[in-house]
Amino acid sequence: MPWSEQFAEFWTERHLCVLSTVRADGTVHSTPVGATLDLETGIARVICSGGSHKARTIRKAGPDGAAVAVTQVDGRRWSTLEGRAVVSDDPDRVQDAVRRYAKRYREPRENPQRVVIEITVTKVLGNAG
């Protein structure tokens, strides 16, 4: 996807995000997260514990992934990334996500149950570039 300079800057500045998933009953579950966006591949990543509600919900969707949205807001600027999410516990993919998280936020605490939610971005909304 072609990203503007303002959009790229917004997704590298330190902002907390909200990840929204859809429960089996059709209701939305939203939770605060740290998210990173790989501007080259269009993949957003969220690290979390493998037993978390968000990870379990996405895993239940199967190999095609789950529809999700991750949003960040800074005053009047906002951006939402929509896409399909999958969960990976592959050590190399998790470590890559941890490295990206540490660069944008801070070094995360140790978590032997850590997984990465990988979101293939299919749609971008917002006014942040």
Side-chain angles (χ1 to χ4, degrees):
M1 293 185 172
W3 315 106
S4 72
E5 187 176 321
Q6 294 85 2
F7 177 87
E9 185 175 306
F10 190 58
W11 277 98
T12 54
E13 296 168 353
R14 187 185 189 283
H15 299 292
L16 293 178
C17 302
V18 174
L19 176 71
S20 298
T21 58
V22 180
R23 297 182 184 104
D25 67 2
T27 59
V28 175
H29 174 262
S30 296
T31 187
V33 297
T36 62
L37 175 61
D38 183 334
L39 295 164
E40 291 182 22
T41 64
I43 295 176
R45 292 174 177 85
V46 173
I47 56 174
C48 65
S49 184
S52 67
H53 181 80
K54 56 191 162 283
R56 290 192 326 266
T57 298
I58 293 167
R59 276 195 172 124
K60 286 179 187 176
D64 290 335
V68 302
V70 63
T71 301
Q72 66 180 18
V73 177
D74 180 41
R76 294 179 54 89
R77 296 185 307 158
W78 66 278
S79 179
T80 296
L81 308 174
E82 294 181 355
R84 303 295 297 183
V86 295
V87 175
S88 176
D89 57 7
D90 175 87
D92 291 336
R93 290 163 73 175
V94 171
Q95 187 54 40
D96 179 54
V98 167
R99 181 185 56 77
R100 293 169 187 275
Y101 178 94
K103 184 176 179 181
R104 185 173 190 198
Y105 298 102
R106 62 174 167 69
E107 192 67 36
R109 65 177 169 75
E110 282 295 314
N111 180 354
Q113 303 302 316
R114 181 171 287 131
V115 297
V116 57
I117 296 171
E118 297 173 325
I119 305 162
T120 301
V121 176
T122 57
K123 187 174 186 178
V124 175
L125 304 168
N127 65 4

